[in-house]
Amino acid sequence: MRRAIVPDLAVTLVVLWTVCCSVVWQVEAASDALTPPYGPLRLVNQQPVQLLFLQQFPAGVDVTPPGHLDVHLSTALTNTLVRQQQDFSATLDLEMVRTVLDLHYGVHPRLEVGLDIPLMYTYSGILDSFVLGVERLLTPGQERRLRKRQVTGAFTYQVLRDNRRFIRGQDDALGLGDVVLKAKARLLREQAFLPALSLRAAVKFPSGDSSRAFGSGEIDGGFGLLLQKTFGRWTFYVNGDVTFPGQAFDDVRVSLHPFFTGVLATEFRLARSLSLVLQWRGDTRPFHHTIPILDKRLIETLLGLNWAIGRHVVLQAGLAEDQFNSACCSADVSFFLNLTGRL
Protein backbone atom coordinates (compact mmCIF):
# COMPACT_ATOMS: atom_id res chain seq x y z
CA MET A 1 0.00 0.00 0.00
CA ARG A 2 2.73 2.49 0.99
CA ARG A 3 4.64 1.96 -2.24
CA ALA A 4 1.54 2.99 -4.16
CA ILE A 5 0.46 5.95 -2.02
CA VAL A 6 3.78 7.64 -1.25
CA PRO A 7 4.66 8.21 -4.94
CA ASP A 8 1.12 9.50 -5.52
CA LEU A 9 1.50 11.97 -2.66
CA ALA A 10 4.94 13.09 -3.82
CA VAL A 11 3.74 13.58 -7.39
CA THR A 12 0.68 15.50 -6.19
CA LEU A 13 2.77 17.84 -4.05
CA VAL A 14 5.29 18.43 -6.81
CA VAL A 15 2.51 19.18 -9.30
CA LEU A 16 0.77 21.58 -6.89
CA TRP A 17 3.98 23.46 -6.11
CA THR A 18 5.08 23.53 -9.76
CA VAL A 19 1.75 24.79 -11.06
CA CYS A 20 1.52 27.40 -8.33
CA CYS A 21 5.06 28.69 -9.01
CA SER A 22 4.74 28.69 -12.81
CA VAL A 23 1.39 30.48 -12.88
CA VAL A 24 2.59 33.16 -10.49
CA TRP A 25 5.78 33.80 -12.43
CA GLN A 26 3.92 34.03 -15.75
CA VAL A 27 1.82 36.96 -14.52
CA GLU A 28 4.66 38.68 -12.68
CA ALA A 29 4.48 41.90 -14.65
CA ALA A 30 0.70 42.24 -14.66
CA SER A 31 -0.29 42.22 -11.00
CA ASP A 32 0.11 44.22 -7.81
CA ALA A 33 3.26 43.35 -5.89
CA LEU A 34 3.32 41.80 -2.44
CA THR A 35 4.92 44.27 -0.04
CA PRO A 36 6.21 43.99 3.54
CA PRO A 37 5.17 43.26 6.19
CA TYR A 38 4.42 39.75 4.92
CA GLY A 39 2.36 38.49 7.83
CA PRO A 40 2.37 35.86 10.59
CA LEU A 41 3.29 32.21 10.12
CA ARG A 42 0.54 30.35 8.26
CA LEU A 43 0.23 27.21 10.37
CA VAL A 44 -2.76 25.97 12.36
CA ASN A 45 -2.41 23.68 15.36
CA GLN A 46 -1.33 20.33 13.91
CA GLN A 47 -2.57 18.10 16.74
CA PRO A 48 -4.41 15.47 14.64
CA VAL A 49 -7.66 15.54 16.64
CA GLN A 50 -7.74 19.36 16.58
CA LEU A 51 -7.38 19.21 12.78
CA LEU A 52 -10.79 17.53 12.56
CA PHE A 53 -12.36 20.91 13.26
CA LEU A 54 -12.34 24.35 11.68
CA GLN A 55 -9.13 26.30 12.24
CA GLN A 56 -8.33 29.47 10.33
CA PHE A 57 -4.76 30.30 9.31
CA PRO A 58 -3.10 33.16 11.20
CA ALA A 59 -3.31 36.29 9.03
CA GLY A 60 -2.72 40.01 8.84
CA VAL A 61 -5.46 42.56 8.34
CA ASP A 62 -4.87 43.29 4.64
CA VAL A 63 -7.32 41.99 2.04
CA THR A 64 -6.53 40.95 -1.54
CA PRO A 65 -6.92 43.88 -3.98
CA PRO A 66 -10.13 43.80 -6.06
CA GLY A 67 -9.86 41.62 -9.14
CA HIS A 68 -6.73 39.84 -7.91
CA LEU A 69 -6.22 36.32 -6.57
CA ASP A 70 -3.80 35.46 -3.77
CA VAL A 71 -2.73 31.82 -3.90
CA HIS A 72 -1.26 30.20 -0.78
CA LEU A 73 0.15 26.69 -0.89
CA SER A 74 0.93 25.43 2.61
CA THR A 75 2.55 22.11 3.50
CA ALA A 76 3.22 20.85 7.05
CA LEU A 77 4.91 17.66 8.25
CA THR A 78 3.96 16.67 11.80
CA ASN A 79 5.11 13.93 14.17
CA THR A 80 2.77 13.02 17.07
CA LEU A 81 3.15 10.51 19.92
CA VAL A 82 0.61 10.68 22.77
CA ARG A 83 -1.20 8.02 24.78
CA GLN A 84 -3.65 8.06 27.68
CA GLN A 85 -6.33 5.77 29.06
CA GLN A 86 -9.21 6.32 31.49
CA ASP A 87 -12.95 6.19 30.70
CA PHE A 88 -11.73 7.57 27.43
CA SER A 89 -8.60 6.18 25.82
CA ALA A 90 -6.53 7.66 23.03
CA THR A 91 -3.36 6.55 21.29
CA LEU A 92 -1.77 8.66 18.58
CA ASP A 93 1.50 7.47 17.07
CA LEU A 94 1.73 8.80 13.54
CA GLU A 95 3.03 11.36 11.13
CA MET A 96 0.92 13.53 8.89
CA VAL A 97 1.57 15.57 5.77
CA ARG A 98 -1.11 18.20 5.30
CA THR A 99 -1.12 20.44 2.24
CA VAL A 100 -3.68 23.22 1.81
CA LEU A 101 -4.43 25.15 -1.37
CA ASP A 102 -5.73 28.43 0.06
CA LEU A 103 -7.29 30.93 -2.37
CA HIS A 104 -8.24 34.55 -1.64
CA TYR A 105 -10.08 36.73 -4.18
CA GLY A 106 -10.58 40.48 -3.79
CA VAL A 107 -14.17 41.55 -4.44
CA HIS A 108 -13.96 45.05 -2.90
CA PRO A 109 -11.18 47.29 -1.53
CA ARG A 110 -12.25 46.18 1.94
CA LEU A 111 -13.50 42.63 1.29
CA GLU A 112 -12.10 39.30 0.11
CA VAL A 113 -13.55 35.80 -0.12
CA GLY A 114 -11.59 32.58 0.11
CA LEU A 115 -11.49 28.80 -0.19
CA ASP A 116 -9.29 26.23 1.60
CA ILE A 117 -8.80 22.82 -0.06
CA PRO A 118 -6.73 20.47 2.15
CA LEU A 119 -5.01 17.26 1.09
CA MET A 120 -4.00 14.91 3.93
CA TYR A 121 -1.73 11.89 4.24
CA THR A 122 -1.32 9.84 7.45
CA TYR A 123 1.42 7.25 7.81
CA SER A 124 3.73 5.58 10.31
CA GLY A 125 6.51 8.09 9.89
CA ILE A 126 10.18 8.73 9.30
CA LEU A 127 10.97 11.17 12.14
CA ASP A 128 10.66 8.94 15.23
CA SER A 129 14.41 8.40 15.72
CA PHE A 130 15.15 12.04 14.86
CA VAL A 131 12.68 13.38 17.46
CA LEU A 132 14.07 11.04 20.15
CA GLY A 133 17.58 12.20 19.33
CA VAL A 134 16.58 15.85 19.65
CA GLU A 135 14.87 15.19 23.00
CA ARG A 136 18.03 13.47 24.27
CA LEU A 137 20.16 16.38 23.07
CA LEU A 138 18.01 19.11 24.62
CA THR A 139 17.03 17.29 27.83
CA PRO A 140 19.61 14.55 28.53
CA GLY A 141 18.10 11.78 30.61
CA GLN A 142 14.69 13.48 30.70
CA GLU A 143 13.19 12.36 27.41
CA ARG A 144 9.67 11.01 27.68
CA ARG A 145 9.28 7.34 28.65
CA LEU A 146 6.65 6.96 25.96
CA ARG A 147 9.13 8.16 23.34
CA LYS A 148 11.93 5.89 24.63
CA ARG A 149 9.64 2.85 24.54
CA GLN A 150 8.18 3.67 21.15
CA VAL A 151 8.36 1.09 18.38
CA THR A 152 9.90 3.06 15.54
CA GLY A 153 7.73 3.10 12.45
CA ALA A 154 4.54 1.95 14.19
CA PHE A 155 1.17 3.55 13.41
CA THR A 156 -1.79 4.03 15.73
CA TYR A 157 -4.51 6.67 15.62
CA GLN A 158 -7.64 5.94 17.60
CA VAL A 159 -9.85 7.44 20.30
CA LEU A 160 -12.38 5.35 22.27
CA ARG A 161 -15.04 5.80 24.91
CA ASP A 162 -15.93 2.67 26.88
CA ASN A 163 -14.32 0.55 24.16
CA ARG A 164 -16.40 2.25 21.46
CA ARG A 165 -14.06 3.78 18.90
CA PHE A 166 -15.23 7.14 17.53
CA ILE A 167 -12.06 8.51 15.91
CA ARG A 168 -9.80 6.31 13.83
CA GLY A 169 -7.08 7.14 11.34
CA GLN A 170 -5.51 4.78 8.84
CA ASP A 171 -1.90 4.06 7.94
CA ASP A 172 -0.81 5.09 4.44
CA ALA A 173 -4.08 6.96 3.85
CA LEU A 174 -4.33 9.84 1.39
CA GLY A 175 -7.41 11.95 0.84
CA LEU A 176 -9.21 15.27 0.75
CA GLY A 177 -9.89 17.05 4.02
CA ASP A 178 -12.79 19.32 4.93
CA VAL A 179 -13.15 22.28 2.54
CA VAL A 180 -13.54 25.76 4.06
CA LEU A 181 -15.34 28.81 2.62
CA LYS A 182 -14.39 32.13 4.22
CA ALA A 183 -14.47 35.91 3.98
CA LYS A 184 -12.48 38.78 5.50
CA ALA A 185 -13.45 42.46 5.78
CA ARG A 186 -11.05 45.26 6.69
CA LEU A 187 -12.76 47.77 8.96
CA LEU A 188 -10.02 50.18 10.03
CA ARG A 189 -6.68 51.22 8.58
CA GLU A 190 -3.70 51.62 10.86
CA GLN A 191 -3.42 55.04 12.49
CA ALA A 192 -0.80 56.77 14.61
CA PHE A 193 -1.96 55.29 17.90
CA LEU A 194 -4.44 52.67 16.74
CA PRO A 195 -3.93 49.27 15.06
CA ALA A 196 -5.55 48.20 11.82
CA LEU A 197 -8.62 46.01 12.31
CA SER A 198 -10.31 43.29 10.25
CA LEU A 199 -13.07 40.75 10.87
CA ARG A 200 -13.37 37.32 9.29
CA ALA A 201 -15.78 34.40 9.16
CA ALA A 202 -15.59 30.83 7.85
CA VAL A 203 -17.67 27.69 7.34
CA LYS A 204 -16.15 24.18 7.11
CA PHE A 205 -17.99 21.56 5.07
CA PRO A 206 -17.72 17.75 5.62
CA SER A 207 -15.89 16.87 2.40
CA GLY A 208 -13.24 14.78 4.22
CA ASP A 209 -13.68 11.09 4.97
CA SER A 210 -14.50 10.95 8.70
CA SER A 211 -13.90 7.18 8.79
CA ARG A 212 -10.21 7.92 8.11
CA ALA A 213 -10.09 11.01 10.39
CA PHE A 214 -9.79 13.44 7.47
CA GLY A 215 -12.66 15.48 8.88
CA SER A 216 -15.31 15.56 11.58
CA GLY A 217 -18.21 14.68 9.27
CA GLU A 218 -20.09 17.82 10.35
CA ILE A 219 -20.34 21.50 9.41
CA ASP A 220 -18.36 23.93 11.61
CA GLY A 221 -18.64 27.72 11.67
CA GLY A 222 -16.48 30.43 13.13
CA PHE A 223 -15.49 34.08 13.14
CA GLY A 224 -12.49 36.08 14.24
CA LEU A 225 -10.87 39.44 14.95
CA LEU A 226 -7.52 40.52 13.46
CA LEU A 227 -5.30 43.39 14.69
CA GLN A 228 -2.02 44.67 13.25
CA LYS A 229 0.36 47.49 14.23
CA THR A 230 3.76 48.48 12.82
CA PHE A 231 6.58 50.35 14.57
CA GLY A 232 9.50 50.85 12.20
CA ARG A 233 10.87 47.40 11.30
CA TRP A 234 8.59 45.67 13.82
CA THR A 235 5.05 44.52 13.07
CA PHE A 236 2.79 42.95 15.68
CA TYR A 237 -0.21 40.73 14.92
CA VAL A 238 -3.06 39.59 17.15
CA ASN A 239 -5.67 37.05 15.99
CA GLY A 240 -8.62 35.87 18.04
CA ASP A 241 -11.08 33.27 16.66
CA VAL A 242 -14.00 31.25 17.99
CA THR A 243 -15.23 28.04 16.34
CA PHE A 244 -18.63 26.40 16.74
CA PRO A 245 -18.17 22.70 15.89
CA GLY A 246 -20.93 20.43 14.67
CA GLN A 247 -21.97 17.58 16.97
CA ALA A 248 -19.95 14.83 15.31
CA PHE A 249 -19.92 12.31 18.16
CA ASP A 250 -23.47 12.21 19.52
CA ASP A 251 -23.56 8.46 18.96
CA VAL A 252 -21.03 7.95 21.77
CA ARG A 253 -22.54 10.68 23.98
CA VAL A 254 -19.64 13.11 23.48
CA SER A 255 -20.72 16.73 23.29
CA LEU A 256 -18.57 19.29 21.49
CA HIS A 257 -18.31 22.90 22.68
CA PRO A 258 -17.19 26.18 21.09
CA PHE A 259 -13.44 26.64 21.31
CA PHE A 260 -11.12 29.61 21.03
CA THR A 261 -7.82 30.30 19.31
CA GLY A 262 -5.42 33.15 20.01
CA VAL A 263 -2.29 34.11 18.05
CA LEU A 264 0.37 36.66 18.95
CA ALA A 265 3.12 37.18 16.38
CA THR A 266 6.05 39.55 15.96
CA GLU A 267 7.66 40.11 12.57
CA PHE A 268 11.05 41.84 12.30
CA ARG A 269 12.18 42.93 8.84
CA LEU A 270 15.89 42.35 8.28
CA ALA A 271 15.54 43.72 4.74
CA ARG A 272 12.70 44.47 2.34
CA SER A 273 12.73 40.88 1.09
CA LEU A 274 13.47 39.06 4.36
CA SER A 275 11.86 38.99 7.79
CA LEU A 276 11.91 36.79 10.89
CA VAL A 277 8.75 35.83 12.78
CA LEU A 278 8.30 34.67 16.37
CA GLN A 279 4.79 33.49 17.11
CA TRP A 280 2.74 31.98 19.93
CA ARG A 281 -0.53 30.15 19.48
CA GLY A 282 -3.00 28.98 22.12
CA ASP A 283 -6.09 26.82 21.58
CA THR A 284 -8.85 25.68 23.84
CA ARG A 285 -10.54 22.41 22.84
CA PRO A 286 -14.01 21.30 21.71
CA PHE A 287 -13.96 18.39 24.21
CA HIS A 288 -14.72 18.88 27.91
CA HIS A 289 -14.34 16.51 30.88
CA THR A 290 -12.65 13.71 28.93
CA ILE A 291 -8.85 13.21 29.07
CA PRO A 292 -6.00 15.72 28.58
CA ILE A 293 -5.19 14.41 25.09
CA LEU A 294 -8.63 15.64 24.04
CA ASP A 295 -9.44 18.61 26.25
CA LYS A 296 -6.19 20.14 27.59
CA ARG A 297 -5.36 23.56 26.18
CA LEU A 298 -2.66 23.57 23.51
CA ILE A 299 0.06 26.22 23.47
CA GLU A 300 3.01 26.20 21.11
CA THR A 301 5.86 28.38 19.90
CA LEU A 302 6.55 28.93 16.21
CA LEU A 303 9.69 30.32 14.62
CA GLY A 304 10.03 31.06 10.93
CA LEU A 305 10.97 33.45 8.17
CA ASN A 306 9.38 35.24 5.24
CA TRP A 307 11.47 35.57 2.08
CA ALA A 308 10.21 37.52 -0.93
CA ILE A 309 11.82 35.62 -3.80
CA GLY A 310 10.08 37.86 -6.36
CA ARG A 311 7.79 40.88 -6.50
CA HIS A 312 4.77 38.58 -6.33
CA VAL A 313 6.09 35.48 -4.56
CA VAL A 314 6.82 35.03 -0.86
CA LEU A 315 8.26 31.84 0.62
CA GLN A 316 7.65 31.07 4.29
CA ALA A 317 9.30 28.30 6.30
CA GLY A 318 9.70 27.35 9.93
CA LEU A 319 8.85 24.95 12.73
CA ALA A 320 6.43 24.68 15.64
CA GLU A 321 7.25 23.12 18.99
CA ASP A 322 5.32 22.60 22.22
CA GLN A 323 7.03 24.62 24.95
CA PHE A 324 4.27 24.94 27.53
CA ASN A 325 3.73 21.57 29.23
CA SER A 326 1.24 20.18 26.74
CA ALA A 327 3.47 17.34 25.54
CA CYS A 328 0.82 14.93 26.84
CA CYS A 329 -1.58 15.95 24.10
CA SER A 330 0.01 18.08 21.37
CA ALA A 331 1.98 17.29 18.24
CA ASP A 332 5.66 16.86 19.13
CA VAL A 333 7.07 18.86 16.24
CA SER A 334 5.81 20.38 13.00
CA PHE A 335 7.83 21.61 10.03
CA PHE A 336 6.12 23.79 7.44
CA LEU A 337 6.78 25.37 4.06
CA ASN A 338 4.37 27.89 2.52
CA LEU A 339 4.31 29.69 -0.82
CA THR A 340 2.25 32.81 -1.50
CA GLY A 341 1.69 34.33 -4.94
CA ARG A 342 -0.53 37.11 -6.25
CA LEU A 343 -2.23 36.86 -9.66
Side-chain angles (χ1 to χ4, degrees), residues 259-319:
F259 62 93
F260 300 88
T261 296
V263 171
L264 174 62
T266 302
E267 180 180 7
F268 177 70
R269 291 185 297 283
L270 299 172
R272 179 179 175 83
S273 62
L274 184 65
S275 64
L276 300 178
V277 181
L278 178 63
Q279 186 165 306
W280 295 272
R281 180 185 182 96
D283 298 85
T284 63
R285 311 294 295 279
F287 299 93
H288 288 186
H289 309 300
T290 58
I291 53 178
I293 289 176
L294 299 180
D295 61 32
K296 184 179 175 68
R297 295 177 180 178
L298 300 173
I299 305 176
E300 61 183 5
T301 303
L302 297 86
L303 181 64
L305 60 84
N306 292 310
W307 178 28
I309 57 178
R311 294 179 61 244
H312 308 93
V313 184
V314 175
L315 185 69
Q316 186 178 85
L319 61 88

Side-chain angles (χ1 to χ4, degrees), residues 97-109:
V97 178
R98 186 174 186 264
T99 297
V100 182
L101 180 61
D102 179 10
L103 307 174
H104 298 243
Y105 183 74
V107 296
H108 184 272

